Amino acid sequence: MSLSPAVVIGAGLVGASVGCALTKAGHRVHLEDRNASHVQVAAGIGAGTSEPAVPDEVRLVVVAVPPAALAAVIIDALDRFPRATVTDVGSVKAGVLNALWDSGGDVTRYVGSHPMAGSQFSGPLTAQADLFHDRTWVIAPHRKSSAAATQDVRDLVAACGANEVIMDVDIHDSAVARVSHVPHLMSVLMAGHLNEVPVEQLQLAGQGLRDVTRIAGSDPDLWEQILGANSAAVLPELRAVQHQLDTLISAIESDGTAGAQAHAVLAHLERGLAGTRRIPGKHGAAPVQYRQLVVEIPDAPGALSRLFADVAQAGVNVEDISIQHDPDRQVGYLSLAVAPDQADALVGSMTDAGWAIGDSDPSSDSAG
Amino acid sequence: MSLSPAVVIGAGLVGASVGCALTKAGHRVHLEDRNASHVQVAAGIGAGTSEPAVPDEVRLVVVAVPPAALAAVIIDALDRFPRATVTDVGSVKAGVLNALWDSGGDVTRYVGSHPMAGSQFSGPLTAQADLFHDRTWVIAPHRKSSAAATQDVRDLVAACGANEVIMDVDIHDSAVARVSHVPHLMSVLMAGHLNEVPVEQLQLAGQGLRDVTRIAGSDPDLWEQILGANSAAVLPELRAVQHQLDTLISAIESDGTAGAQAHAVLAHLERGLAGTRRIPGKHGAAPVQYRQLVVEIPDAPGALSRLFADVAQAGVNVEDISIQHDPDRQVGYLSLAVAPDQADALVGSMTDAGWAIGDSDPSSDSAG
């Protein structure tokens, strides 16, 4: 079943990467973007052509524009390309669908989707055909989606080398509310509270604060669009967290007045610990407890290179890595996560090479 | 002014490191710990002697035991060592002090302190004399602390090579509540909510969720002690965040019904962004906006080594680094933070060496 010719609307990283993957799979791709330079760059790296498509011939349209523009662009695409299946790659699905119901357009040809990849880079320059290779790509048909349209999107996902996950629209939106949007808001609340903290007190901040608040540094305009599109799914989750916060505050207020209340605070802490263990590990595998090793490393050009050369010499695969900067000293601490059965070999080899290496508590915080 | 002989009670990482620093500075140190093997290990690396001190001779006692045990051990130390200045390295100060007032002991010889270092490692094995070198060490005298006792603790901080910060007990406790304890609880609340999320939905989790929930993986028993000791300072901060959460929920509920309300959500997001920018940068410097570059890196032994060798070849200093694992693919993405004026040189050099390197949005989340 051919997807040619296809149109990709929005030639940013995700759109251009879809174009590259479809082109590589032998399909003809026409690129559109309000920003003409994006189309040129994307065409230059093999994402498709900047020439306009013949509307009646188009078989597939992939809409990859910012959240707030999605519904209007999809409605317009259903109208402009009367024989095409139309999908999008937006991170929220229900709101767009509601707008489509009201539009009077041929919604049977629309099937939403959401590739779990892409926003780490931005712009078409870093687009690549294998961006979605082996990634999860959620397909969210609605009750009037035609079987043919759903099949076209499945073919798109297959052409991009991604792993399809068919998910109900509401379940998808609830899932991203839980694993992405609510965590984002918790980070925002914590970071926002720092505006009340005197600067001299912020000198006591450690890595834990930096981790919790990192994603609050994201573009507020983009997130306003995402949250506006998913408020129905975000609200019940946020209210559940609000309830937990209320009970936590009550537990802390009562702490020390009764033994049973102290256990209420501990119960929150243990519930949090249990929650962290539910997050899947690397490569979608079950959570693995890696052994965390810590090496002190001078803050100088070449030091990391020498360190990793010595790690490589040990023949050990580093599963994860992070650097915690000392706020005052010219050194950092490098945490290396390795499989438990490889840790002793690495410690021996690194010690022989002159590094100070030891076990760490991966979750502790120097400002604790 | 001599601090010899000194006694260190609690030979974990922090206590043993204090012992090493004092020993290196020429002072005699006696080590105590409920765990005899900790004393042996600490003595073996030069932290002091396992032989008991002569009580009347002891000039300084450093108490480095878990939070819940602090007050009792300090009271006992004031009694056992009648001529010694007694300090502790606990992360919360007011509760201990209140217990001391009630004890009837000689509180004029007690001055609390808090070195901002140490809990990244655990146990005496990785103790080192320079653990506190150039780190912040808060000294928190109380209204009855003698000038001589305060001077002894200042001498201790100087002997450890740390930078003293004299801070009121209540201000210290409020500061750690804001930059450490409340962030910890926000992480715990978010992680705890994951217990309500079906496992298949957690497959959509990205790096943002992992960052926000990382410190919730810490030891619940230790944190129950910390929070119990600092509930008075934590509660008003937590209530302020609770209030912000309430207004955020109201803003999201009203979103779409009035233009002004949409701006309320945006205001929260912008307040969060502003908060992240207040956190001091590396080495206590003012916050710096580094340029974030991203390199795709195969998940294989030696790949990181080759990558860093090429980074070193470029002669560019890497300011910060993180790896985001693709949950499904056998690759990772390595983010490199470099000074803006060095970024183009690095991109050119790395591209020449065959790496796919590009700018990234450091705060974006693939699950967004």
Side-chain angles (χ1 to χ4, degrees):
Chain A
M1 200 171 200
S2 177
L3 302 173
S4 295
V7 171
V8 173
I9 305 176
L13 168 70
V14 173
S17 293
V18 169
C20 288
L22 287 174
T23 300
K24 202 172 173 185
H27 302 292
R28 182 135 184 249
V29 178
H30 298 268
L31 301 166
E32 295 186 5
D33 197 299
R34 291 200 310 181
N35 183 334
S37 76
H38 276 199
V39 169
Q40 292 307 319
V41 169
I45 61 169
T49 175
S50 58
E51 290 170 24
V54 178
D56 282 347
E57 294 178 357
V58 173
R59 293 288 321 276
L60 176 73
V61 178
V62 180
V63 178
V65 301
L70 272 176
V73 174
I74 293 167
I75 290 166
D76 182 59
L78 286 167
D79 182 54
R80 284 165 59 207
F81 306 104
R83 298 179 56 206
T85 292
V86 176
T87 189
D88 70 302
V89 297
S91 55
V92 183
K93 312 269 56 122
V96 167
L97 197 52
N98 289 337
L100 294 197
W101 294 136
D102 298 340
S103 73
D106 178 10
V107 295
T108 65
R109 290 186 285 114
Y110 169 74
V111 177
S113 75
H114 182 200
M116 307 309 293
S119 60
Q120 186 163 18
F121 301 81
S122 64
L125 196 56
T126 52
Q128 49 192 78
D130 65 353
L131 183 68
F132 311 104
H133 190 71
D134 270 344
R135 303 291 300 248
T136 296
W137 190 319
V138 177
I139 302 174
H142 58 82
R143 60 188 164 80
K144 294 214 170 170
S145 296
S146 74
T150 300
Q151 186 60 50
D152 284 343
V153 178
R154 296 183 64 185
D155 291 346
L156 165 68
V157 172
C160 291
N163 303 319
E164 70 170 36
V165 172
I166 310 279
M167 202 176 252
D168 178 83
V169 165
D170 293 328
I171 290 176
H172 168 274
D173 288 359
S174 177
V176 292
R178 290 159 164 170
V179 304
S180 173
H181 305 172
V182 169
H184 191 87
L185 291 173
M186 295 296 279
S187 183
V188 163
L189 285 170
M190 186 62 239
H193 188 59
L194 298 182
N195 292 288
E196 313 300 324
V197 181
V199 165
E200 64 273 19
Q201 297 185 16
L202 287 169
Q203 298 291 336
L204 275 56
Q207 188 60 36
L209 179 67
R210 289 175 171 82
D211 283 350
V212 172
T213 59
R214 186 185 63 86
I215 54 177
S218 301
D219 179 6
D221 293 322
L222 173 64
W223 274 92
E224 187 198 12
Q225 293 180 37
I226 292 171
L227 294 167
N230 206 27
S231 56
V234 166
L235 275 171
E237 307 301 324
L238 211 49
R239 289 196 193 104
V241 174
Q242 179 187 38
H243 174 69
Q244 289 295 322
L245 175 57
D246 295 346
T247 64
L248 174 62
I249 288 174
S250 297
I252 295 175
E253 284 171 340
S254 309
D255 190 23
T257 62
Q261 291 296 341
H263 288 301
V265 175
L266 184 62
H268 276 279
L269 295 166
E270 287 176 339
R271 186 168 175 264
L273 176 61
T276 64
R277 294 185 170 155
R278 300 193 79 223
I279 302 174
K282 208 176 146 189
H283 308 318
V288 174
Q289 296 291 349
Y290 293 113
R291 192 157 144 205
Q292 299 283 340
L293 300 172
V294 175
V295 188
E296 182 173 321
I297 182 164
D299 182 21
L304 281 169
S305 170
R306 290 193 303 278
L307 174 59
F308 279 102
D310 288 341
V311 172
Q313 191 74 23
V316 168
N317 197 13
V318 176
E319 300 292 335
D320 206 348
I321 185 177
S322 63
I323 287 187
Q324 298 193 306
H325 282 300
D326 189 304
D328 299 306
R329 301 167 65 202
Q330 294 297 320
V331 299
Y333 295 98
L334 189 103
S335 296
L336 303 165
V338 296
D341 59 353
Q342 297 194 292
D344 287 338
L346 182 60
V347 170
S349 174
M350 295 298 286
T351 303
D352 289 347
W355 297 95
I357 184 167
D359 276 276
S360 86
D361 170 3
S363 328
S364 66
D365 184 334
S366 63
Chain B
M1 199 169 201
S2 177
L3 302 172
S4 294
V7 171
V8 173
I9 304 176
L13 169 71
V14 173
S17 294
V18 169
C20 288
L22 287 175
T23 300
K24 202 171 171 185
H27 301 293
R28 180 133 187 253
V29 178
H30 297 267
L31 301 167
E32 296 186 5
D33 197 298
R34 291 201 310 181
N35 183 335
S37 75
H38 277 200
V39 170
Q40 291 308 319
V41 170
I45 61 169
T49 173
S50 57
E51 289 170 25
V54 177
D56 281 347
E57 294 178 358
V58 173
R59 293 290 321 275
L60 176 72
V61 178
V62 181
V63 178
V65 301
L70 273 175
V73 173
I74 293 167
I75 290 167
D76 182 58
L78 286 167
D79 183 53
R80 283 167 58 207
F81 305 104
R83 299 179 55 204
T85 291
V86 177
T87 189
D88 70 301
V89 296
S91 54
V92 182
K93 311 268 57 122
V96 167
L97 198 52
N98 288 337
L100 294 198
W101 293 136
D102 298 340
S103 72
D106 178 10
V107 295
T108 65
R109 290 186 285 116
Y110 169 74
V111 178
S113 75
H114 182 200
M116 308 309 291
S119 61
Q120 186 164 19
F121 301 81
S122 66
L125 196 57
T126 53
Q128 50 192 78
D130 64 352
L131 183 69
F132 311 104
H133 190 72
D134 269 345
R135 303 291 300 246
T136 297
W137 189 320
V138 177
I139 301 173
H142 58 82
R143 59 187 165 81
K144 295 215 170 167
S145 296
S146 74
T150 300
Q151 185 60 49
D152 284 342
V153 178
R154 295 182 67 185
D155 291 345
L156 164 68
V157 171
C160 291
N163 303 318
E164 68 169 37
V165 172
I166 310 278
M167 201 176 254
D168 179 85
V169 165
D170 292 329
I171 291 176
H172 167 274
D173 287 359
S174 177
V176 292
R178 288 157 163 171
V179 304
S180 173
H181 305 172
V182 169
H184 192 87
L185 291 173
M186 295 296 278
S187 183
V188 164
L189 285 171
M190 187 62 240
H193 189 60
L194 298 181
N195 291 291
E196 313 299 323
V197 181
V199 165
E200 62 272 20
Q201 296 186 17
L202 287 170
Q203 297 292 335
L204 275 56
Q207 188 60 36
L209 179 66
R210 290 175 171 81
D211 283 350
V212 171
T213 58
R214 184 184 64 85
I215 53 176
S218 301
D219 180 6
D221 293 322
L222 174 64
W223 274 92
E224 187 199 11
Q225 293 180 38
I226 293 172
L227 295 166
N230 206 28
S231 57
V234 166
L235 275 171
E237 307 301 324
L238 209 50
R239 288 196 193 104
V241 174
Q242 179 188 39
H243 174 71
Q244 288 296 322
L245 175 56
D246 294 346
T247 65
L248 174 62
I249 288 174
S250 298
I252 296 176
E253 283 170 342
S254 309
D255 190 24
T257 63
Q261 292 296 341
H263 288 301
V265 175
L266 184 61
H268 275 280
L269 295 165
E270 288 176 337
R271 185 166 176 267
L273 177 61
T276 65
R277 292 184 172 155
R278 300 193 80 223
I279 302 174
K282 209 175 145 189
H283 307 317
V288 174
Q289 296 291 347
Y290 293 114
R291 193 156 144 205
Q292 298 284 341
L293 300 172
V294 176
V295 189
E296 182 173 322
I297 182 162
D299 181 22
L304 282 167
S305 171
R306 291 193 302 278
L307 174 59
F308 279 101
D310 289 342
V311 171
Q313 192 73 22
V316 168
N317 197 13
V318 176
E319 299 292 337
D320 206 347
I321 184 178
S322 64
I323 286 187
Q324 300 194 303
H325 282 298
D326 189 306
D328 300 308
R329 302 168 64 203
Q330 295 297 320
V331 299
Y333 295 99
L334 190 104
S335 296
L336 302 165
V338 296
D341 61 353
Q342 295 194 293
D344 287 337
L346 182 60
V347 169
S349 174
M350 294 298 286
T351 303
D352 290 349
W355 297 94
I357 184 167
D359 276 277
S360 86
D361 170 3
S363 328
S364 66
D365 185 335
S366 63

